[in-house]
Amino acid sequence: NGHTISNFYQNTWEIKGDYDAGYYNDGMGLFGYVLNGTVKNLTVNNFSSDGEFAPTGVIAAYAVNSTFENIAVTKCNPRVYNTGNGGIVGIGGNSDDPETYKLTFTNITIDNTNKISALWGSWDVACGGLVGMFRGAGPVYMTNCHVAAQMDVYNDVCGNYQYYWYRYAGMIIGTI
């Protein structure tokens, strides 16, 4: 109904997973997991987060087969280490079936008051204006989406060194 949700902070440092157990078990965002759902007619203002191994999206940490429409994101600073971070979705979930997995974004505005931060990491680091990581076989539909956020990425997030080659940053999607 066009409401604004403001001033919330999340932190996963105390509950973080690790490489051996619990990796991707946590998530930060307005919603932890959106499955076959629709989030619409909403503004999120002044969300911030800090964590590691916890996919982060201002709206959803994870999303599978879902729609996001008429959403504005302002003055937000999601920060995460070692995983995906996005202005709307941190990680688009896993699926090998294109018919059951897709993401749809319509009328989305992520203005230049936002800073999306993918900080150092040694594993799967991606930062994107809409989606940090898209891990699915299905399509991503985007209509009337505007991203002007600052992308705060450290050298080892978007650079290749040693044997780590899975670190990405993109204004729309960090990695597919």
Side-chain angles (χ1 to χ4, degrees):
N1 293 326
H3 293 287
T4 298
I5 296 174
S6 297
N7 305 318
F8 68 102
Y9 171 76
Q10 291 180 322
N11 177 332
T12 62
W13 286 106
E14 297 300 318
I15 61 172
K16 70 177 184 168
D18 57 36
Y19 290 111
D20 299 321
Y23 189 56
Y24 292 140
N25 284 346
D26 303 321
M28 294 187 293
L30 182 60
F31 298 100
Y33 192 179
V34 178
L35 173 62
N36 301 321
T38 299
V39 179
K40 64 182 181 178
N41 304 328
L42 172 68
T43 297
V44 174
N45 179 63
N46 199 30
F47 162 74
S48 62
S49 65
D50 287 293
E52 181 174 26
F53 296 112
T56 302
V58 172
I59 304 301
Y62 296 95
V64 174
N65 197 35
S66 295
T67 298
F68 301 87
E69 63 184 59
N70 303 323
I71 296 174
V73 176
T74 59
K75 299 179 185 172
C76 294
N77 184 212
R79 299 166 34 98
V80 71
Y81 298 80
N82 286 313
T83 190
N85 189 12
I88 300 294
V89 174
I91 294 180
N94 296 311
S95 175
D96 293 325
D97 182 357
E99 297 304 315
T100 61
Y101 179 62
K102 67 183 176 210
L103 292 178
T104 302
F105 300 92
T106 305
N107 299 325
I108 305 293
T109 300
I110 301 170
D111 68 18
N112 65 357
T113 64
N114 297 284
K115 183 188 291 185
I116 302 168
S117 301
L119 306 174
W120 61 263
S122 55
W123 185 260
D124 286 351
V125 181
C127 181
L130 287 180
V131 180
M133 293 180 187
F134 181 76
R135 293 183 165 194
V140 177
Y141 299 103
M142 292 177 247
T143 305
N144 197 29
C145 296
H146 303 275
V147 177
Q150 300 172 54
M151 305 302 277
D152 180 20
V153 293
Y154 284 49
N155 280 342
D156 69 339
V157 172
C158 58
N160 296 338
Y161 74 95
Q162 296 174 344
Y163 56 89
Y164 302 121
W165 54 270
Y166 23 81
R167 299 167 182 201
Y168 305 96
M171 283 303 289
I172 301 295
I173 297 175
T175 185
I176 294 180

